[in-house]
């Protein structure tokens, strides 16, 4: 099987140059979530559980943002392969206008009725009262984040992944500093608690957007044609809707399913402990997955560009097969490393640092072991769906393969284990990982058929 890994000289150097900035970008982004969790945990488990609950509807916004970002990347990577700069501005314009029209009203709903929204997500009204000020503000931050993420997606798809790394590195430092000032009331600032965390994030996201706006207007590599940006035309709108709307639907429905997992935990008998443990391990698990996300993003760029350049079906299949195998091997190494850290670092050091003791620590350990053991499956699924199938324009099948295992297997199994049979934390943690057990063989089946390779720019099937 390792013969698939043999490539032309310079292949892995190019893969490394593409994926490393994306890995660092994701590491920076997910580290921010961990820093937020750590700072809020200083206020207490109830406050941490409240912010976790408030982030359930926010995760829906994040999923929509990622959907538009991924959908835009499908078009941009292939237009980049063709050298069509003007179409890049059209595609970015469509994505920005439609994205704003969707995310802004959702943010407004969260701002007007934050407590009512949170009451739907937990059986403890006191968590809704604690988290309401956070939800009221945080939604608007993702409107700005959506716009900056779209421009980062364009830069990534034209093989400039370092832009996003630098941008989100700056905003993370800014957000962390503002968190310190506004959560705890340092240097004369008011101590705003969880509301301070939301305000800090909003200010950081606004700064991201302003930087992207200036860079877009001054860029020579990817010049922004304002006339095409604000009037992209019906042909580009139709093309974007055709290829991006299934991706947006995919990420939105998947995000909703992931949010429902948190809701299920919020209705368990020990919901505060469950939510606190899940808040910590959710962020820690994502830190170990940053390499997988980076490889998946690099895969999307390389495969999409190969299709846009008109390479043969056999070459595209060979390239994709290599990238998938490489992702699985890297994921296996990450799994072994992270599992070794559970008894050596997480249980004796990390959990107490986040004030996880007793039942909370036991739950966190179960989530850690099950989550880390599933990393190879995550790696394969991420590269297959967000890297290979989407970049090939196979958006309908990638949507089905991404959300069907979650809704048909993972959510029912978790609800039965947690709410009906009231099992312990280990069966619940196992049920939460069933999604990828089902997803991976289905993805490999679709990949082997080869019918996922399509030219989405209008050049016909490759």
């Amino acid at each position: 099987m390792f013969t698939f890994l043999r490539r032309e000289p310079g292949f892995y150097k190019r893969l490394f140059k593409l994926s490393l900035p994306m890995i660092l970008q994701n590491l920076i982004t997910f580290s921010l979530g961990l820093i937020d969790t750590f700072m809020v945990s200083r206020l207490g488990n109830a406050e941490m559980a409240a912010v976790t609950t408030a982030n359930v509807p926010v995760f829906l916004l994040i999923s929509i943002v990622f959907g538009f970002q991924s959908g835009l990347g499908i078009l941009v990577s292939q237009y980049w392969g063709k050298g069509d700069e003007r179409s890049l501005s059209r595609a970015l314009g469509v994505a920005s206008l439609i994205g704003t029209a969707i995310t802004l009203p959702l943010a407004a709903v969260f701002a007007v009725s934050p407590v009512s929204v949170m009451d739907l997500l937990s059986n403890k009204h006191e968590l809704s009262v604690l988290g309401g000020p956070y939800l009221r503000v945080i939604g608007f931050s993702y409107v700005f984040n959506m716009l900056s993420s779209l421009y980062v997606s364009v830069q990534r798809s034209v093989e400039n992944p370092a832009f996003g790394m630098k941008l989100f590195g700056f905003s993370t430092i800014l957000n962390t500093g503002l968190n310190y000032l506004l959560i705890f009331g340092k240097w004369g600032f008011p101590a705003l608690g969880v509301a301070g965390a939301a305000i800090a994030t909003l200010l950081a996201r606004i700064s991201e957007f302003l930087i992207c706006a200036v860079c877009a207007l001054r860029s020579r590599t990817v010049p922004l044609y304002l006339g095409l940006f604000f009037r992209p035309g019906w042909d580009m709108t139709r093309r974007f809707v055709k290829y991006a709307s299934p991706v947006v639907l995919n990420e939105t429905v998947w995000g909703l399913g992931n949010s429902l997992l948190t809701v299920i935990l919020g209705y368990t008998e020990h919901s505060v402990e469950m939510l606190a443990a899940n808040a910590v391990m959710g962020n820690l698990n994502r830190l170990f997955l940053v390499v997988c996300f980076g490889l998946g993003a690099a895969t999307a760029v390389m495969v999409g560009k190969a299709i846009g350049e008109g390479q043969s079906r056999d070459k595209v299949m060979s390239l994709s097969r290599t990238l998938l195998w490489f992702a699985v091997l890297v994921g296996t190494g990450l799994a072994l490393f992270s599992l070794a850290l559970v008894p050596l670092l997480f249980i004796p050091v990390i959990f107490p640092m986040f004030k996880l003791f007793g039942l909370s620590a036991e739950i966190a350990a179960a989530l850690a072991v099950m989550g880390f053991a599933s990393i190879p499956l995550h790696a394969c699924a991420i590269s297959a769906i967000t890297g290979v199938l989407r970049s090939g324009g196979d958006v309908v099948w990638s949507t089905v393969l991404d959300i069907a295992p979650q809704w048909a297997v993972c959510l029912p199994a978790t609800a039965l284990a947690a709410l009906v049979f009231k099992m312990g934390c280990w069966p619940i943690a196992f049920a939460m990982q069933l999604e990828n057990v089902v997803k991976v063989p289905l993805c490999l089946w679709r990949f082997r058929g080869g019918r996922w390779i399509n030219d989405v720019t209008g050049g016909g099937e490759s």
Side-chain angles (χ1 to χ4, degrees):
M1 66 178 180
F2 294 107
T3 56
F4 294 134
L5 298 175
R6 296 174 184 169
R7 302 295 303 186
E8 67 277 6
F11 174 84
Y12 287 103
K13 182 179 179 181
R14 181 187 173 208
L15 176 61
F16 180 77
K17 288 179 65 176
L18 275 175
S19 59
L20 180 60
M22 299 180 197
I23 291 169
L24 294 176
Q25 175 188 321
N26 286 326
L27 181 63
I28 291 167
T29 302
F30 293 146
S31 293
L32 176 59
L34 187 62
I35 293 169
D36 276 350
T37 301
F38 175 73
M39 290 191 176
V40 172
S41 73
R42 300 293 91 191
L43 302 174
N45 270 9
E47 285 80 1
M48 186 159 61
V51 170
T52 301
T53 306
N55 275 323
V56 171
V58 172
F59 191 79
L60 183 63
L61 269 179
I62 296 173
S63 300
I64 293 172
V65 169
F66 186 73
F68 274 93
Q69 187 179 14
S70 300
L72 178 63
I74 294 172
L75 293 171
V76 172
S77 61
Q78 293 198 20
Y79 280 123
W80 178 246
K82 290 181 179 296
D84 187 351
E85 291 181 351
R86 295 177 66 84
S87 291
L88 300 184
S89 292
R90 294 182 188 274
L92 179 60
V94 170
S96 300
L97 296 173
I98 297 177
T100 302
I102 293 175
T103 56
L104 187 58
L106 283 174
V109 171
F110 298 161
V112 172
S113 305
V115 176
S116 299
V117 171
M118 288 190 62
D119 276 338
L120 301 173
L121 309 173
S122 172
N123 58 0
K124 288 183 169 57
H125 180 69
E126 59 269 25
L127 294 183
S128 301
V129 175
L130 277 174
Y134 179 89
L135 183 58
R136 178 175 285 114
V137 176
I138 197 68
F140 289 109
S141 72
Y142 286 97
V143 179
F144 292 100
N145 179 245
M146 181 270 302
L147 294 170
S148 58
S149 293
L150 289 177
Y151 186 68
V152 168
S153 179
V154 171
Q155 289 287 346
R156 174 192 300 165
S157 298
V158 300
E159 301 181 89
N160 182 25
F163 178 84
M165 177 189 67
K166 296 173 184 176
L167 176 71
F168 292 125
F170 164 77
S171 67
T172 297
I173 295 172
L174 177 62
N175 200 338
T176 301
L178 292 173
N179 271 342
Y180 179 74
L181 297 176
L182 297 177
I183 293 176
F184 305 113
K186 302 296 183 179
W187 295 2
F189 285 85
L192 301 177
V194 296
I199 294 171
T201 300
L202 175 61
L203 293 175
R205 298 308 188 195
I206 291 174
S207 72
E208 287 175 6
F209 167 73
L210 293 176
I211 291 171
C212 285
V214 172
C215 291
L217 293 173
R218 299 183 61 182
S219 175
R220 295 182 179 179
T221 305
V222 190
L224 181 65
Y225 300 94
L226 289 177
L228 300 179
F229 178 87
F230 288 107
R231 289 178 294 178
W234 284 112
D235 181 66
M236 181 59 72
T237 302
R238 177 190 60 80
R239 199 178 300 280
F240 181 83
V241 170
K242 177 181 179 181
Y243 290 104
S245 58
V247 180
V248 175
L249 176 65
N250 176 174
E251 296 301 335
T252 303
V253 175
W254 185 88
L256 179 60
N258 201 65
S259 297
L260 283 178
L261 284 176
T262 306
V263 173
I264 291 170
L265 299 181
Y267 276 88
T268 55
E269 183 179 357
H270 303 287
S271 58
V272 172
E273 291 81 2
M274 278 283 190
L275 290 170
N278 190 56
V280 174
M281 278 316 308
N283 284 295
L284 289 173
N285 196 43
R286 280 190 287 271
L287 283 181
F288 283 92
L289 287 174
V290 294
V291 176
C292 304
F293 285 115
L295 288 174
T299 296
V301 173
M302 295 175 74
V303 174
K305 186 180 181 183
I307 296 172
E309 289 174 340
Q311 293 188 22
S312 68
R313 181 179 297 273
D314 288 343
K315 288 185 177 180
V316 173
M317 285 290 290
S318 176
L319 169 66
S320 303
R321 187 179 293 110
T322 298
L323 293 168
L324 283 178
W325 272 114
F326 187 74
V328 171
L329 291 176
V330 171
T332 302
L334 284 171
L336 295 174
F337 175 70
S338 57
L339 285 170
L341 291 180
V342 174
L344 297 176
L345 180 65
F346 283 79
I347 293 176
V349 179
I350 301 297
F351 295 167
M353 186 185 302
F354 284 87
K355 295 188 176 181
L356 296 179
F357 303 101
L359 181 59
S360 296
E362 181 184 348
I363 295 169
L367 294 174
V369 171
M370 293 301 176
F372 293 155
S374 302
I375 289 178
L377 298 176
H378 277 282
C380 183
I382 290 168
S383 285
I385 292 175
T386 66
V388 173
L389 299 182
R390 282 185 186 171
S391 64
D394 195 27
V395 290
V396 174
W397 267 102
S398 65
T399 297
V400 172
L401 294 175
D402 203 21
I403 64 178
Q406 182 190 52
W407 284 82
V409 179
C410 179
L411 285 172
T414 305
L416 288 172
L419 304 180
V420 178
F421 298 112
K422 301 184 186 300
M423 295 180 176
C425 56
W426 287 92
I428 294 172
F430 175 74
M432 292 173 67
Q433 299 300 327
L434 282 176
E435 173 185 346
N436 287 293
V437 175
V438 177
K439 184 183 294 183
V440 167
L442 293 176
C443 289
L444 296 179
W445 163 78
R446 181 62 182 175
F447 168 75
R448 290 192 185 102
R451 299 180 63 185
W452 52 271
I453 304 175
N454 303 278
D455 186 334
V456 304
T457 64
E461 189 175 24
S462 64

